[in-house]
Structures are given as structure tokens and as C-alpha cells.
mmCIF file of all heavy atoms in Angstrom:
data_model
loop_
_atom_site.group_PDB
_atom_site.id
_atom_site.type_symbol
_atom_site.label_atom_id
_atom_site.label_comp_id
_atom_site.label_asym_id
_atom_site.label_seq_id
_atom_site.Cartn_x
_atom_site.Cartn_y
_atom_site.Cartn_z
ATOM 1 N N GLU A 519 157.604 -88.544 37.140
ATOM 2 C CA GLU A 519 158.444 -88.791 35.936
ATOM 3 C C GLU A 519 159.505 -87.621 35.731
ATOM 4 O O GLU A 519 160.645 -87.936 35.374
ATOM 5 C CB GLU A 519 157.556 -88.894 34.706
ATOM 6 C CG GLU A 519 156.791 -90.198 34.612
ATOM 7 C CD GLU A 519 155.819 -90.342 33.521
ATOM 8 O OE1 GLU A 519 155.561 -89.331 32.800
ATOM 9 O OE2 GLU A 519 155.324 -91.407 33.338
ATOM 10 N N ALA A 520 159.103 -86.369 36.101
ATOM 11 C CA ALA A 520 160.093 -85.292 36.079
ATOM 12 C C ALA A 520 161.154 -85.452 37.116
ATOM 13 O O ALA A 520 162.359 -85.217 36.830
ATOM 14 C CB ALA A 520 159.311 -83.975 36.248
ATOM 15 N N PHE A 521 160.795 -85.871 38.271
ATOM 16 C CA PHE A 521 161.770 -86.115 39.301
ATOM 17 C C PHE A 521 162.771 -87.147 38.947
ATOM 18 O O PHE A 521 163.998 -86.994 39.044
ATOM 19 C CB PHE A 521 161.085 -86.459 40.686
ATOM 20 C CG PHE A 521 160.872 -85.336 41.562
ATOM 21 C CD1 PHE A 521 160.080 -84.215 41.172
ATOM 22 C CD2 PHE A 521 161.456 -85.313 42.888
ATOM 23 C CE1 PHE A 521 159.837 -83.174 41.989
ATOM 24 C CE2 PHE A 521 161.177 -84.165 43.704
ATOM 25 C CZ PHE A 521 160.356 -83.154 43.280
ATOM 26 N N VAL A 522 162.226 -88.295 38.407
ATOM 27 C CA VAL A 522 163.112 -89.368 38.016
ATOM 28 C C VAL A 522 164.000 -89.012 36.823
ATOM 29 O O VAL A 522 165.227 -89.207 36.852
ATOM 30 C CB VAL A 522 162.222 -90.612 37.602
ATOM 31 C CG1 VAL A 522 163.021 -91.645 36.856
ATOM 32 C CG2 VAL A 522 161.489 -91.180 38.719
ATOM 33 N N ALA A 523 163.510 -88.232 35.884
ATOM 34 C CA ALA A 523 164.311 -87.732 34.750
ATOM 35 C C ALA A 523 165.425 -86.834 35.238
ATOM 36 O O ALA A 523 166.508 -86.744 34.532
ATOM 37 C CB ALA A 523 163.417 -87.039 33.769
ATOM 38 N N GLN A 524 165.211 -86.098 36.377
ATOM 39 C CA GLN A 524 166.245 -85.193 36.875
ATOM 40 C C GLN A 524 167.101 -85.923 37.895
ATOM 41 O O GLN A 524 167.894 -85.247 38.635
ATOM 42 C CB GLN A 524 165.483 -83.978 37.527
ATOM 43 C CG GLN A 524 164.791 -83.125 36.460
ATOM 44 C CD GLN A 524 163.946 -82.086 37.165
ATOM 45 O OE1 GLN A 524 164.354 -81.444 38.106
ATOM 46 N NE2 GLN A 524 162.839 -81.887 36.627
ATOM 47 N N ASP A 525 166.938 -87.166 38.091
ATOM 48 C CA ASP A 525 167.725 -88.000 39.022
ATOM 49 C C ASP A 525 167.501 -87.587 40.471
ATOM 50 O O ASP A 525 168.477 -87.567 41.252
ATOM 51 C CB ASP A 525 169.201 -88.012 38.655
ATOM 52 C CG ASP A 525 169.888 -89.158 39.297
ATOM 53 O OD1 ASP A 525 169.348 -90.278 39.485
ATOM 54 O OD2 ASP A 525 171.158 -89.002 39.671
ATOM 55 N N LYS A 526 166.173 -87.201 40.792
ATOM 56 C CA LYS A 526 165.917 -86.782 42.148
ATOM 57 C C LYS A 526 165.228 -87.928 42.863
ATOM 58 O O LYS A 526 164.649 -88.796 42.238
ATOM 59 C CB LYS A 526 164.977 -85.581 42.157
ATOM 60 C CG LYS A 526 165.591 -84.317 41.568
ATOM 61 C CD LYS A 526 164.602 -83.189 41.656
ATOM 62 C CE LYS A 526 165.222 -81.906 41.047
ATOM 63 N NZ LYS A 526 164.209 -80.748 41.059
ATOM 64 N N PRO A 527 165.424 -88.048 44.179
ATOM 65 C CA PRO A 527 164.799 -89.178 44.866
ATOM 66 C C PRO A 527 163.246 -89.103 44.843
ATOM 67 O O PRO A 527 162.705 -88.054 44.987
ATOM 68 C CB PRO A 527 165.304 -89.046 46.250
ATOM 69 C CG PRO A 527 166.389 -88.102 46.244
ATOM 70 C CD PRO A 527 166.237 -87.238 45.022
ATOM 71 N N VAL A 528 162.605 -90.281 44.769
ATOM 72 C CA VAL A 528 161.206 -90.418 44.923
ATOM 73 C C VAL A 528 160.977 -91.560 45.859
ATOM 74 O O VAL A 528 161.694 -92.582 45.839
ATOM 75 C CB VAL A 528 160.524 -90.639 43.546
ATOM 76 C CG1 VAL A 528 160.564 -89.456 42.643
ATOM 77 C CG2 VAL A 528 160.937 -91.824 42.847
ATOM 78 N N ALA A 529 160.073 -91.401 46.742
ATOM 79 C CA ALA A 529 159.833 -92.321 47.835
ATOM 80 C C ALA A 529 158.322 -92.527 48.122
ATOM 81 O O ALA A 529 157.575 -91.540 47.929
ATOM 82 C CB ALA A 529 160.584 -91.975 49.080
ATOM 83 N N ALA A 530 157.991 -93.716 48.583
ATOM 84 C CA ALA A 530 156.618 -93.922 49.062
ATOM 85 C C ALA A 530 156.509 -95.095 49.920
ATOM 86 O O ALA A 530 157.348 -96.006 49.894
ATOM 87 C CB ALA A 530 155.725 -94.192 47.743
ATOM 88 N N VAL A 531 155.496 -95.114 50.724
ATOM 89 C CA VAL A 531 155.376 -96.158 51.729
ATOM 90 C C VAL A 531 153.942 -96.673 51.806
ATOM 91 O O VAL A 531 152.963 -95.911 51.509
ATOM 92 C CB VAL A 531 155.812 -95.625 53.198
ATOM 93 C CG1 VAL A 531 154.841 -94.536 53.659
ATOM 94 C CG2 VAL A 531 155.954 -96.813 54.154
ATOM 95 N N CYS A 532 153.818 -98.014 52.188
ATOM 96 C CA CYS A 532 152.459 -98.630 52.295
ATOM 97 C C CYS A 532 151.694 -98.665 51.050
ATOM 98 O O CYS A 532 152.036 -99.309 50.066
ATOM 99 C CB CYS A 532 151.738 -97.936 53.483
ATOM 100 S SG CYS A 532 150.221 -98.903 54.015
ATOM 101 N N HIS A 533 150.577 -97.903 50.951
ATOM 102 C CA HIS A 533 149.853 -97.846 49.701
ATOM 103 C C HIS A 533 150.359 -96.737 48.766
ATOM 104 O O HIS A 533 149.950 -96.618 47.541
ATOM 105 C CB HIS A 533 148.379 -97.650 49.938
ATOM 106 C CG HIS A 533 147.681 -98.939 50.537
ATOM 107 N ND1 HIS A 533 147.643 -99.127 51.863
ATOM 108 C CD2 HIS A 533 147.133 -99.975 49.894
ATOM 109 C CE1 HIS A 533 147.045 -100.251 52.086
ATOM 110 N NE2 HIS A 533 146.690 -100.767 50.940
ATOM 111 N N GLY A 534 151.231 -95.841 49.328
ATOM 112 C CA GLY A 534 151.767 -94.752 48.493
ATOM 113 C C GLY A 534 152.437 -95.168 47.247
ATOM 114 O O GLY A 534 152.370 -94.504 46.193
ATOM 115 N N PRO A 535 153.161 -96.395 47.273
ATOM 116 C CA PRO A 535 153.732 -96.815 45.987
ATOM 117 C C PRO A 535 152.852 -96.936 44.785
ATOM 118 O O PRO A 535 153.242 -97.089 43.641
ATOM 119 C CB PRO A 535 154.495 -98.135 46.346
ATOM 120 C CG PRO A 535 154.780 -97.929 47.814
ATOM 121 C CD PRO A 535 153.603 -97.168 48.340
ATOM 122 N N ALA A 536 151.524 -96.983 45.064
ATOM 123 C CA ALA A 536 150.549 -97.066 43.933
ATOM 124 C C ALA A 536 150.753 -95.914 43.028
ATOM 125 O O ALA A 536 150.476 -95.932 41.803
ATOM 126 C CB ALA A 536 149.106 -97.119 44.512
ATOM 127 N N ALA A 537 151.296 -94.843 43.540
ATOM 128 C CA ALA A 537 151.539 -93.594 42.682
ATOM 129 C C ALA A 537 152.555 -94.000 41.624
ATOM 130 O O ALA A 537 152.677 -93.249 40.615
ATOM 131 C CB ALA A 537 152.109 -92.465 43.523
ATOM 132 N N PHE A 538 153.384 -94.975 41.701
ATOM 133 C CA PHE A 538 154.358 -95.364 40.663
ATOM 134 C C PHE A 538 153.833 -96.351 39.659
ATOM 135 O O PHE A 538 154.490 -96.587 38.680
ATOM 136 C CB PHE A 538 155.606 -96.023 41.342
ATOM 137 C CG PHE A 538 156.199 -95.159 42.415
ATOM 138 C CD1 PHE A 538 156.780 -95.785 43.533
ATOM 139 C CD2 PHE A 538 156.300 -93.775 42.312
ATOM 140 C CE1 PHE A 538 157.429 -94.983 44.530
ATOM 141 C CE2 PHE A 538 156.868 -92.973 43.314
ATOM 142 C CZ PHE A 538 157.431 -93.615 44.364
ATOM 143 N N VAL A 539 152.569 -96.842 39.815
ATOM 144 C CA VAL A 539 152.120 -97.879 38.965
ATOM 145 C C VAL A 539 152.021 -97.464 37.496
ATOM 146 O O VAL A 539 152.321 -98.208 36.638
ATOM 147 C CB VAL A 539 150.591 -98.316 39.463
ATOM 148 C CG1 VAL A 539 149.912 -99.228 38.431
ATOM 149 C CG2 VAL A 539 150.840 -99.111 40.744
ATOM 150 N N ASN A 540 151.685 -96.258 37.197
ATOM 151 C CA ASN A 540 151.493 -95.798 35.786
ATOM 152 C C ASN A 540 152.635 -94.871 35.352
ATOM 153 O O ASN A 540 152.533 -94.185 34.260
ATOM 154 C CB ASN A 540 150.146 -95.194 35.540
ATOM 155 C CG ASN A 540 149.053 -96.264 35.574
ATOM 156 O OD1 ASN A 540 149.146 -97.146 34.749
ATOM 157 N ND2 ASN A 540 148.146 -96.146 36.442
ATOM 158 N N THR A 541 153.696 -94.798 36.184
ATOM 159 C CA THR A 541 154.766 -93.867 35.703
ATOM 160 C C THR A 541 155.734 -94.662 34.866
ATOM 161 O O THR A 541 155.843 -95.803 34.928
ATOM 162 C CB THR A 541 155.492 -93.295 37.014
ATOM 163 O OG1 THR A 541 156.034 -94.447 37.743
ATOM 164 C CG2 THR A 541 154.580 -92.434 37.850
ATOM 165 N N LYS A 542 156.398 -93.857 34.076
ATOM 166 C CA LYS A 542 157.348 -94.455 33.101
ATOM 167 C C LYS A 542 158.687 -93.736 33.173
ATOM 168 O O LYS A 542 158.834 -92.535 33.613
ATOM 169 C CB LYS A 542 156.811 -94.257 31.601
ATOM 170 C CG LYS A 542 155.427 -94.715 31.406
ATOM 171 C CD LYS A 542 155.401 -96.163 31.150
ATOM 172 C CE LYS A 542 154.066 -96.654 30.683
ATOM 173 N NZ LYS A 542 153.651 -97.910 31.335
ATOM 174 N N THR A 543 159.727 -94.396 32.705
ATOM 175 C CA THR A 543 161.005 -93.782 32.573
ATOM 176 C C THR A 543 161.096 -93.007 31.301
ATOM 177 O O THR A 543 160.161 -93.143 30.501
ATOM 178 C CB THR A 543 162.158 -94.834 32.643
ATOM 179 O OG1 THR A 543 161.947 -95.746 31.578
ATOM 180 C CG2 THR A 543 162.146 -95.648 34.014
ATOM 181 N N LYS A 544 162.186 -92.242 31.076
ATOM 182 C CA LYS A 544 162.215 -91.447 29.833
ATOM 183 C C LYS A 544 162.159 -92.293 28.569
ATOM 184 O O LYS A 544 161.853 -91.849 27.498
ATOM 185 C CB LYS A 544 163.360 -90.478 29.838
ATOM 186 C CG LYS A 544 164.690 -90.977 30.140
ATOM 187 C CD LYS A 544 165.731 -89.863 30.286
ATOM 188 C CE LYS A 544 166.946 -90.423 30.876
ATOM 189 N NZ LYS A 544 167.893 -89.308 31.175
ATOM 190 N N ASP A 545 162.618 -93.601 28.766
ATOM 191 C CA ASP A 545 162.627 -94.516 27.495
ATOM 192 C C ASP A 545 161.217 -95.240 27.442
ATOM 193 O O ASP A 545 161.145 -96.179 26.671
ATOM 194 C CB ASP A 545 163.770 -95.389 27.615
ATOM 195 C CG ASP A 545 163.788 -96.325 28.781
ATOM 196 O OD1 ASP A 545 162.913 -96.280 29.668
ATOM 197 O OD2 ASP A 545 164.748 -97.164 28.821
ATOM 198 N N GLY A 546 160.207 -94.893 28.211
ATOM 199 C CA GLY A 546 158.878 -95.434 28.105
ATOM 200 C C GLY A 546 158.601 -96.663 28.842
ATOM 201 O O GLY A 546 157.539 -97.249 28.711
ATOM 202 N N LYS A 547 159.677 -97.175 29.594
ATOM 203 C CA LYS A 547 159.403 -98.442 30.446
ATOM 204 C C LYS A 547 158.689 -98.078 31.665
ATOM 205 O O LYS A 547 158.913 -97.007 32.228
ATOM 206 C CB LYS A 547 160.755 -99.086 30.606
ATOM 207 C CG LYS A 547 161.433 -99.634 29.407
ATOM 208 C CD LYS A 547 162.736 -100.268 29.814
ATOM 209 C CE LYS A 547 163.401 -100.731 28.481
ATOM 210 N NZ LYS A 547 164.810 -101.170 28.690
ATOM 211 N N PRO A 548 158.021 -99.081 32.276
ATOM 212 C CA PRO A 548 157.521 -98.858 33.594
ATOM 213 C C PRO A 548 158.604 -98.503 34.597
ATOM 214 O O PRO A 548 159.719 -98.992 34.542
ATOM 215 C CB PRO A 548 156.885 -100.159 34.005
ATOM 216 C CG PRO A 548 156.539 -100.838 32.725
ATOM 217 C CD PRO A 548 157.634 -100.436 31.750
ATOM 218 N N LEU A 549 158.338 -97.484 35.414
ATOM 219 C CA LEU A 549 159.287 -96.994 36.423
ATOM 220 C C LEU A 549 159.933 -98.112 37.230
ATOM 221 O O LEU A 549 161.071 -98.185 37.461
ATOM 222 C CB LEU A 549 158.706 -95.979 37.373
ATOM 223 C CG LEU A 549 159.609 -95.456 38.536
ATOM 224 C CD1 LEU A 549 160.815 -94.724 37.951
ATOM 225 C CD2 LEU A 549 158.823 -94.559 39.348
ATOM 226 N N VAL A 550 159.143 -99.077 37.568
ATOM 227 C CA VAL A 550 159.523 -100.208 38.512
ATOM 228 C C VAL A 550 160.275 -101.350 37.772
ATOM 229 O O VAL A 550 160.808 -102.258 38.399
ATOM 230 C CB VAL A 550 158.477 -100.691 39.362
ATOM 231 C CG1 VAL A 550 157.840 -99.563 40.203
ATOM 232 C CG2 VAL A 550 157.358 -101.413 38.587
ATOM 233 N N ALA A 551 160.187 -101.326 36.459
ATOM 234 C CA ALA A 551 160.700 -102.497 35.770
ATOM 235 C C ALA A 551 162.217 -102.691 36.041
ATOM 236 O O ALA A 551 163.045 -101.764 35.910
ATOM 237 C CB ALA A 551 160.586 -102.335 34.256
#
């Protein structure tokens, strides 16, 4: 969430994207929405 708020790249592959499942944007929406 800190990386996203600072407009830094975040990346994941295969099962790694599970790390994004409970992350939110600064407005409280799911990161992937």
C-alpha cells in the first residue's frame, strides 16, 4: 500500500499476486478493482 501510494511499481508472478488480495488503495478500494 505504501509503494502504491507513492506511485512506485509493484509486481508479482504466479501465486505471488495473492499478496495483493487484501491490499487497498488510499481511497479504501481493493488494489485490483
Side-chain angles (χ1 to χ4, degrees):
E519 290 174 347
F521 267 60
V522 170
Q524 295 170 43
D525 200 33
K526 294 180 178 180
V528 293
V531 67
C532 192
H533 289 90
F538 304 144
V539 166
N540 287 304
T541 58
K542 308 276 187 223
T543 60
K544 57 185 164 187
D545 61 359
K547 294 180 183 170
L549 174 64
V550 301

